[in-house]
Amino acid sequence: MNGQRFRLLFVGSLLLLTILPLTLMTIHQNGEKKDAFLEFARSYASLDREVVKAVEEYRTVQGTDDAADAATGAGAAASEGISAMWELDPPENLPSDVKDQVQQALSSIKDSYHSIKFEMDTVHHQVTNPDIPFLETQVEYFGYVADRERKASRESLIKAGNSLGVAREEMMKILGE
């Protein structure tokens, strides 16, 4: 009886000594993944704020004499944003499902910036050709697509963060909402 009890205690101790370090290592690795993701999300948000600022400047003067200059600035910001987002790589240590969500977010934000660029180019055509009626509809359409894709991008990032244990509220704070 004592021998069997000793064996059970010995096996239990061995299991505990094996499982505890593995658990601690997993917790540490998950913390590293979360930290890397949060750093990525902050970089993303910083880049996005620059583009959003330029677009908001355009939209406040839309329909005025200053619209063409503001559209030039917003178009340039969108082009720079596209380049910057191409250079922003997801952290390598993320799980594949999270990395897929981050890649989707990057794809959507680049689509958004392309739509902004098209919107601003159309504004220039509209200024030089005010008698072409469909240009206004195109400006509205590209603006709509840009907003839709930006929202999709942000939702993908929030979902990725959630997969790593980052609360939606924390992601919203990082993304500036």
Side-chain angles (χ1 to χ4, degrees), residues 44-65:
Y44 165 98
S46 176
L47 295 169
D48 187 49
R49 273 191 281 282
E50 295 301 315
V51 177
V52 168
K53 180 181 171 188
V55 171
E56 286 175 353
E57 286 176 19
Y58 160 73
R59 291 191 175 154
T60 60
V61 298
Q62 188 175 6
T64 69
D65 292 339

Side-chain angles (χ1 to χ4, degrees), residues 124-146:
H124 283 287
H125 291 299
Q126 191 178 27
V127 168
T128 58
N129 302 302
D131 296 332
I132 302 176
F134 72 88
L135 291 177
E136 185 174 337
T137 304
Q138 278 190 316
V139 168
E140 291 172 7
Y141 172 75
F142 287 131
Y144 165 78
V145 172

Side-chain angles (χ1 to χ4, degrees), residues 29 36 50 59 72 101 109 122 134 145 154 165-166:
Q29 288 173 343
E50 295 301 315
R59 291 191 175 154
T72 298
Q101 292 165 345
I109 200 66
T122 306
F134 72 88
V145 172
R154 295 165 77 79
V166 180

Side-chain angles (χ1 to χ4, degrees), residues 15 28 60 82 86-87 91 93-95 102 132 151 164 175:
L15 283 173
H28 177 71
T60 60
I82 293 166
W86 272 108
E87 294 176 17
N93 64 344
L94 296 179
V102 169
I132 302 176
K151 181 182 262 186
L164 294 171
L175 296 174

